[in-house]
Amino acid sequence: MNENLRISIAGSGNLAGHLGSILKETGFSISQIFARNREKGQNLANALDSQWTDIPGKILQETEILFLCVKDTVIPELTLAFAPYLNPGTLIVHCSGTTGLEQLNPFEKKGVFYPLQTFTPGRKPDWIHIPLLLEGDPETLQTLTFIAKKISNRVEIMNSEQRSVIHLGAVYANNFTNLMAGIASKIASTVQVDHTIYLPLLEESIAKLYYADPIAAQTGPAKRKDLPTIEKHLEMLSKSFPEYVESYRLLSKMISGS
Amino acid sequence: MNENLRISIAGSGNLAGHLGSILKETGFSISQIFARNREKGQNLANALDSQWTDIPGKILQETEILFLCVKDTVIPELTLAFAPYLNPGTLIVHCSGTTGLEQLNPFEKKGVFYPLQTFTPGRKPDWIHIPLLLEGDPETLQTLTFIAKKISNRVEIMNSEQRSVIHLGAVYANNFTNLMAGIASKIASTVQVDHTIYLPLLEESIAKLYYADPIAAQTGPAKRKDLPTIEKHLEMLSKSFPEYVESYRLLSKMISGS
């Protein structure tokens, strides 16, 4: 196997752009961008030295791998739209944590290439550390592993069910963690302090986890069952942020286990 | 003002060790360590080229600043214990987020020096970025600011009430964030994956917050009101982790605002 695979990408959003860039950086070339949004599609195609189309019937028939970098809900319909126009041997791949492999069923060769990361426009991802979760038959896995190992040091094979468990955990690790930062930020705003005061603390809370399991790393009033502090906090919240009382109570209970 | 202040530290734990080290590194010297634990106290005193005692009556009378690096609950009794033996002009300082300045009342000169960070034994803190929250009368603030600015780039003056608001937010930023990482870890363990798979995601979730407010940075199924994914997650949790259902439901509701 070599870098001369004919790769196309469907999508022109965040993930399409970041994945296209890293594929190019690691020596692959992108034959074509399929994107309904003409401006974004053409811009991305230009950036990647590739062609652009917005018509499924004009997808390059000789595409060997087509990455679907689109919203989860669009995956099945797009798969159906491409099916008549691609060679039967084309490998179609989605990049979703929560979508099963079977959503690509019209294709015989199908796979999953799920990067466990949150992507932001204009912010270069640190791909080498991003876990890439792959799924497919043995031949597909051989192809996807070849690509994935050029991009990241952490490549894992998982089936759809395992991947959806990891995706569920990611809601806690990413979305709910961000919510915690947001609540801290709102609380600090009452004394005219912005959220950046918490960034060194947030960073260190995460950095510690390279050396200790989060269960072992737990500290704070709930962990040490410091009831006076917990009561004081609940009282402060009742006055200024009654909408946070329930979360403080529940999360403290989950930590203290009582 | 210069570095020849006669500084002593009460305590031999995590914070006493880290604060003693950074004071020494930034050019101050530590005259004495007071610690009830003989072994830890003597070890710390040796590391800092200072003396050790475990008897309040043997505290060096000429101490100009005494930092209390002890548990919140011990602050009042220790303050009372030292009061008869120190010069009336001694500045006594506690390092607690949640303890008011008035807990140091027997002393005329009193202050707060609260580093907003989580400290771990054996893990060198990145002091330059740690917010240091100071409180005291103008003369005390002059002394504490002189010391704090040698240690950190972020020094803030706050009264006890403001500091306790920041401390409450820190429970979200640190303890509850760690809980989220712990839940993610437990979920991943059901498919034989350890928590390290989430570390790049957790790091990026925080790193983004240097460029965006957490409210603006919020993503995920709850934010985009993706009910099918939320329902799927709740169903998965009901089967494998019924104890997490309430947290998923509540935190999603807080994000979606419905």
Side-chain angles (χ1 to χ4, degrees):
Chain A
M1 202 167 306
N2 61 41
E3 285 84 355
N4 298 325
L5 288 160
R6 268 167 304 218
I7 297 176
S8 293
I9 293 177
S12 61
N14 221 346
L15 179 60
H18 286 308
L19 181 62
S21 298
I22 190 68
L23 285 170
K24 192 155 182 259
E25 264 176 49
T26 48
F28 298 96
S29 55
I30 310 301
S31 307
Q32 196 180 34
I33 299 295
F34 169 90
R36 295 243 157 87
N37 182 315
R38 169 186 282 262
E39 195 189 335
K40 288 176 75 182
Q42 285 184 335
N43 284 346
L44 181 57
N46 286 343
L48 300 174
D49 297 321
S50 86
Q51 305 176 37
W52 164 79
T53 185
D54 62 349
I55 302 166
K58 290 207 174 158
I59 190 87
L60 292 174
Q61 202 186 344
E62 63 270 30
T63 295
E64 290 171 284
I65 308 182
L66 175 62
F67 283 97
L68 303 182
C69 300
V70 296
K71 282 192 185 130
D72 295 355
T73 48
V74 184
I75 292 171
E77 61 181 85
L78 212 52
T79 303
L80 286 172
F82 287 131
Y85 305 107
L86 287 162
N87 283 331
T90 303
L91 169 58
I92 190 163
V93 176
H94 77 59
C95 303
S96 161
T98 187
T99 306
L101 185 65
E102 76 287 351
Q103 300 290 326
L104 305 171
N105 264 348
F107 284 77
E108 202 179 313
K109 288 186 67 188
K110 47 189 178 283
V112 179
F113 186 100
Y114 172 52
L116 183 60
Q117 187 51 290
T118 173
F119 295 96
T120 309
R123 214 175 129 68
K124 203 171 150 61
D126 181 23
W127 280 99
I128 199 76
H129 296 118
I130 299 178
L132 297 176
L133 279 45
L134 310 182
E135 181 177 6
D137 65 24
E139 195 190 332
T140 297
L141 284 178
Q142 207 183 350
T143 308
L144 293 182
T145 303
F146 171 76
I147 298 171
K149 289 201 166 171
K150 299 222 170 239
I151 295 178
S152 167
N153 283 336
R154 183 151 187 177
V155 176
E156 311 236 0
I157 316 281
M158 279 191 204
N159 65 30
S160 291
E161 202 186 322
Q162 292 167 321
R163 191 176 57 256
S164 69
V165 170
I166 296 298
H167 179 261
L168 167 59
V171 170
Y172 282 89
N174 176 17
N175 310 141
F176 292 165
T177 288
N178 185 73
L179 173 66
M180 298 302 116
I183 295 173
S185 167
K186 282 234 192 162
I187 289 171
S189 72
T190 61
V191 291
Q192 284 73 53
V193 171
D194 76 31
H195 77 282
T196 61
I197 202 168
Y198 292 117
L199 293 179
L201 179 60
L202 282 159
E203 284 179 312
E204 178 63 13
S205 303
I206 307 308
K208 280 167 95 159
L209 302 179
Y210 279 97
Y211 307 93
D213 181 86
I215 315 292
Q218 189 66 60
T219 60
K223 178 65 186 177
R224 59 176 187 269
K225 306 198 184 196
D226 173 356
L227 294 180
T229 300
I230 294 174
E231 283 307 317
K232 183 182 164 190
H233 284 169
L234 285 170
E235 203 182 307
M236 289 166 72
L237 288 174
S238 303
K239 277 186 199 142
S240 309
F241 290 104
E243 68 272 33
Y244 298 151
V245 167
E246 192 181 351
S247 67
Y248 189 99
R249 212 183 279 281
L250 174 65
L251 302 178
S252 294
K253 201 178 73 176
M254 292 176 79
I255 290 172
S256 68
S258 67
Chain B
M1 203 167 305
N2 60 42
E3 286 85 355
N4 298 326
L5 288 161
R6 269 166 303 217
I7 297 175
S8 293
I9 293 177
S12 61
N14 220 346
L15 178 60
H18 287 307
L19 181 63
S21 298
I22 191 66
L23 285 171
K24 191 153 182 260
E25 265 177 47
T26 47
F28 298 95
S29 56
I30 310 299
S31 308
Q32 194 181 35
I33 298 294
F34 169 90
R36 295 246 157 84
N37 182 316
R38 168 185 283 261
E39 195 189 334
K40 288 177 75 184
Q42 285 184 334
N43 285 345
L44 181 57
N46 287 341
L48 299 174
D49 297 321
S50 85
Q51 306 176 34
W52 165 80
T53 185
D54 62 348
I55 302 167
K58 291 209 174 155
I59 192 84
L60 292 174
Q61 202 187 345
E62 64 270 32
T63 295
E64 290 170 285
I65 308 182
L66 174 62
F67 283 99
L68 303 182
C69 300
V70 296
K71 283 191 186 131
D72 296 353
T73 48
V74 184
I75 291 171
E77 61 182 86
L78 213 51
T79 303
L80 286 173
F82 287 131
Y85 305 107
L86 287 162
N87 282 333
T90 303
L91 169 59
I92 189 162
V93 176
H94 77 60
C95 303
S96 161
T98 189
T99 305
L101 184 66
E102 76 286 351
Q103 300 291 324
L104 305 171
N105 264 348
F107 283 79
E108 202 181 315
K109 288 186 64 187
K110 47 189 179 283
V112 179
F113 186 101
Y114 171 52
L116 184 61
Q117 187 51 291
T118 172
F119 295 95
T120 309
R123 216 177 128 67
K124 200 171 152 59
D126 180 22
W127 279 101
I128 200 75
H129 296 118
I130 299 178
L132 298 177
L133 280 44
L134 311 183
E135 183 178 5
D137 64 26
E139 194 190 333
T140 298
L141 283 178
Q142 206 183 353
T143 308
L144 292 182
T145 303
F146 171 76
I147 298 172
K149 288 201 166 172
K150 299 223 170 238
I151 295 179
S152 167
N153 282 337
R154 184 153 185 175
V155 177
E156 312 236 1
I157 315 282
M158 278 190 205
N159 64 30
S160 291
E161 201 186 323
Q162 293 167 322
R163 191 174 58 256
S164 70
V165 169
I166 296 297
H167 179 262
L168 166 59
V171 170
Y172 282 88
N174 176 18
N175 310 143
F176 291 165
T177 288
N178 185 74
L179 173 66
M180 298 301 117
I183 294 174
S185 168
K186 282 233 191 162
I187 290 172
S189 73
T190 61
V191 291
Q192 284 73 54
V193 171
D194 76 32
H195 76 282
T196 62
I197 201 167
Y198 291 117
L199 293 180
L201 178 60
L202 282 160
E203 285 180 312
E204 178 63 12
S205 304
I206 306 308
K208 280 167 95 161
L209 302 180
Y210 279 98
Y211 307 94
D213 180 85
I215 313 294
Q218 188 66 61
T219 60
K223 177 66 187 174
R224 61 177 186 268
K225 306 200 182 196
D226 173 356
L227 294 180
T229 301
I230 294 174
E231 282 308 317
K232 183 182 163 190
H233 284 169
L234 285 170
E235 202 181 308
M236 289 167 72
L237 288 173
S238 302
K239 277 187 197 140
S240 309
F241 289 104
E243 68 272 31
Y244 298 152
V245 167
E246 194 183 350
S247 67
Y248 190 99
R249 211 183 280 279
L250 174 65
L251 301 179
S252 293
K253 201 177 72 177
M254 291 175 79
I255 290 172
S256 68
S258 68

